[in-house]
Amino acid sequence: MGKVYLTGAGPGAIDLMTVKAARMITQADIIIYDRLANPKILETAKKDCELIYVGKQKGKHSVPQDQINELIYQAALKHEKVVRLKGGDPFVFGRGGEEAIFLFNKGIKFEIIPGITSAISVPAYAGIPVTHRGVTTSFRVVTGHESPNKKISQIEWESFLNDETLVFLMGFHNIGLITKNLMEHGKRRDYPCAVISKGSTPDQEVVVSTLENIVEDSLNMPTPAIIVVGEVVKLREKIKWTY
């Protein structure tokens, strides 16, 4: 029986992966990886490492989560070192907690290797700090995609009115709903807003606009993309350093 390493791959750029994550990739007997993990990372795996893709995207879940859990478990029964590679950080909307609990219940040893979350790193690559002295003292990271099986949303839109910076992950397909809800609950229509597509990679694209106009201005941008709402977006004019 082996050990599972629930590993964050970082935001996209291969050199933003942690040293420990990079080391485990080279040692893994099997890597079970997501869509958002940079495929170039897999090129560093040893030649006999088994690679299994379990990526998810809107409307196309290659493997349901319960099957992924079972797949990780079965891999741990056969291999000494199992790397479960997830984009960003395993615990920031990565369902790493669910996988860890499943492994605990099965008596499988596991270790968490944190990754740099796209919630802070992607805005940074776009020249947008999520906090800035004199502008904002806090930020909130919100899922932009809730399970369609939920009868009641857990997103309390009315509580966002006084939030200084909002970062929505996995929300681009719902950007119209997100901006509509924010404005209906009191956010100014001219409140600064940005969409960052394929952040930290050479294909990064950034659109800066307002809550009222961001939907139209960001049409057809490729995913993955994150949405940043807040006065900090204006700082991109001076802090923009790449792409």
Side-chain angles (χ1 to χ4, degrees):
M1 187 178 295
K3 184 176 182 180
V4 176
Y5 297 83
L6 298 170
T7 304
I14 191 169
D15 54 355
L16 292 181
M17 187 169 56
T18 66
V19 173
K20 187 169 186 176
R23 183 173 71 248
M24 288 312 307
I25 293 295
T26 64
Q27 297 177 4
D29 301 307
I30 181 171
I31 300 174
I32 302 168
Y33 65 101
D34 279 349
R35 181 175 72 96
L36 297 181
N38 190 329
K40 290 185 177 180
I41 293 173
L42 303 176
E43 296 175 6
T44 64
K46 58 187 182 181
K47 291 183 179 180
D48 61 346
C49 178
E50 183 178 355
L51 305 176
I52 300 180
Y53 175 71
V54 292
K56 301 173 184 175
Q57 62 187 95
K58 185 176 174 62
K60 297 179 181 179
H61 287 195
S62 64
V63 184
Q65 185 62 48
D66 59 342
Q67 292 183 29
I68 293 174
N69 294 345
E70 183 65 25
L71 183 63
I72 298 169
Y73 168 61
Q74 293 296 330
L77 296 179
K78 301 175 184 177
H79 300 281
E80 181 182 354
K81 294 180 180 179
V82 178
V83 167
R84 171 67 171 112
L85 189 63
K86 309 170 80 68
D89 178 85
F91 283 174
V92 182
F93 305 131
R95 305 190 73 168
E98 296 173 50
E99 294 171 357
I101 291 172
F102 183 87
L103 294 171
F104 172 82
N105 290 336
K106 291 288 188 178
I108 300 295
K109 293 181 180 180
F110 61 87
E111 183 173 329
I112 311 300
I113 302 180
I116 302 175
T117 174
S118 60
I120 59 173
S121 55
V122 166
Y125 260 68
I128 300 172
V130 292
T131 65
H132 188 81
R133 185 175 182 181
V135 179
T136 174
T137 58
S138 66
F139 67 98
R140 185 189 294 207
V141 183
V142 188
T143 178
H145 176 77
E146 290 191 283
S147 170
N149 298 322
K150 283 185 180 179
K151 294 181 180 180
I152 300 176
S153 172
Q154 287 180 271
I155 299 177
E156 298 179 354
W157 295 100
E158 63 278 3
S159 70
F160 293 177
L161 177 58
N162 296 317
D163 278 320
E164 299 167 305
T165 303
L166 294 166
V167 181
F168 290 89
L169 304 185
M170 308 174 297
F172 188 60
H173 292 293
N174 294 324
I175 188 170
L177 176 64
I178 290 169
T179 54
K180 176 176 177 289
N181 275 316
L182 290 176
M183 289 186 288
E184 286 182 350
H185 287 87
K187 287 289 189 186
R188 302 191 324 265
R189 304 180 77 83
D190 64 348
Y191 208 60
C193 185
V195 171
I196 310 161
S197 167
K198 297 190 175 182
S200 82
T201 75
D203 297 320
Q204 175 172 291
E205 296 180 31
V206 184
V207 169
V208 172
S209 186
T210 62
L211 279 179
E212 184 176 27
N213 298 318
I214 190 65
V215 174
E216 181 178 353
D217 292 344
S218 63
L219 281 176
N220 302 318
M221 288 184 76
T223 57
I226 76 168
I227 305 162
V228 184
V229 180
E231 295 292 345
V232 290
V233 170
K234 294 180 180 179
L235 297 172
R236 173 174 158 80
E237 297 175 6
K238 296 182 178 180
I239 302 180
K240 176 184 175 182
W241 61 278
T242 185
Y243 311 131

